Amino acid sequence: MTLALAIHGGCGTLPKPEMTEAEWAQARADLASALRAGWTILSKGGPAVDAVEAAVRVMEDSPHFNAGYGSAFNADGDHELDASIMDGETLAAGAICAAKRIRNPILAAKALMLRGDPLLLTGPAADAFAEHEGIDTVDNAYFSTERRRKNLASMKIRELVGTAAEASEAEKHGTVGAVACDTRGHLAAATSTGGYTNKPAGRVGDSPIIGAGTYARDGRCAVSGTGKGEYFIRYCVGHEIASLIAYKGLSLADATQAVLAELSAHEIGAGLVAVDAEGNIVAPFNTEGMYRGWVSPDGLIHVATHGDVELAGQAA
Ligand code: ASP
């Protein structure tokens, strides 16, 4: 069985000149750490669902990605976090949305999945669930970073002068996600996000919606998306890709390209990572860049932010 692991850190990548080389190097190092965390589990025969949780957790702790620490601000100047996880073997899934105090939202989504029912908890109920499970909770201010504060200020100005539609992908959004195939051929996907900058309080995107921003089903594929969530929900992106593979016999590459083409027709930023039952990996996007990475079958870590893919050593 081919082990596989791929991650993304969102398609809201900054243009190259807007960060120093040291900052880009740190973002790539954080991607590599996320891959190592997931691969350590997979290479010891651990389940795909644990690997995607571990990889997402590392990215939630990095200020470079819009999830956990470093999440976008909503219109009220708060952070509201969405996350979900799905096990392709059992179709078990867990999700939380509009949470304000869970340090690592993916841990709460996984705990909910293990509990089995309900599948999705919102806002204060999600925070209370995490607390009850002994998962770390923090003040909402923990998630704030200077970069996201600047993004909110610039989106507020754009809103006033009517140029919000021209904002760069980096100003607007980002997400983190992971997909994996384990030694037993089981698939899993996980996604976590702060949503988009200046989103209305209470807005929920695609990331916690099973079948939209996150989907995994053995024998078909596992998908984690990034981009304008409203369209990912309308097209049921994760489920649509799995259905094109199951019912139309498309390859993973063809199925993801077909769905990405439909999203792109709306002139929205979009990207995803996906893996199929054979361990094939794709990471397509239609923006200037997408934080992304994967481990090749020989165990080598690959990371990228824009066009160039860099090797970052052996995964385990
Ligand atoms: N999909 C996320 C959302 O709509 C944002 C993103 O991936 O950039 O909440």
Side-chain angles (χ1 to χ4, degrees), residues 60 66-68 71 80-83 105 174-176 191-196 199 203 206-208:
E60 286 180 339
N66 176 5
S71 281
E80 290 188 331
L81 313 181
D82 301 338
T175 287
V176 307
T191 311
S192 180
T193 190
Y196 67 81
K199 65 183 180 180
R203 177 265 183 186
D206 60 311
S207 306

Side-chain angles (χ1 to χ4, degrees), residues 17-30:
E18 285 188 32
M19 283 204 321
T20 63
E21 193 32 56
E23 287 173 313
W24 284 114
Q26 190 53 54
R28 290 194 297 268
D30 289 350

Side-chain angles (χ1 to χ4, degrees), residues 144-178:
S144 305
T145 57
E146 211 29 56
R147 170 163 301 132
R148 300 296 177 208
R149 208 179 289 285
K150 282 187 189 146
N151 291 158
L152 179 64
S154 96
M155 286 307 289
K156 289 278 185 204
I157 291 168
R158 286 185 178 283
E159 197 176 49
L160 280 175
V161 300
T163 59
E166 291 150 36
S168 69
E169 297 298 326
E171 265 176 281
K172 287 187 288 198
H173 55 88
T175 287
V176 307

Side-chain angles (χ1 to χ4, degrees), residues 209-220:
I209 307 296
I210 296 301
T214 303
Y215 195 65
R217 184 159 177 168
D218 278 10
R220 298 184 185 181

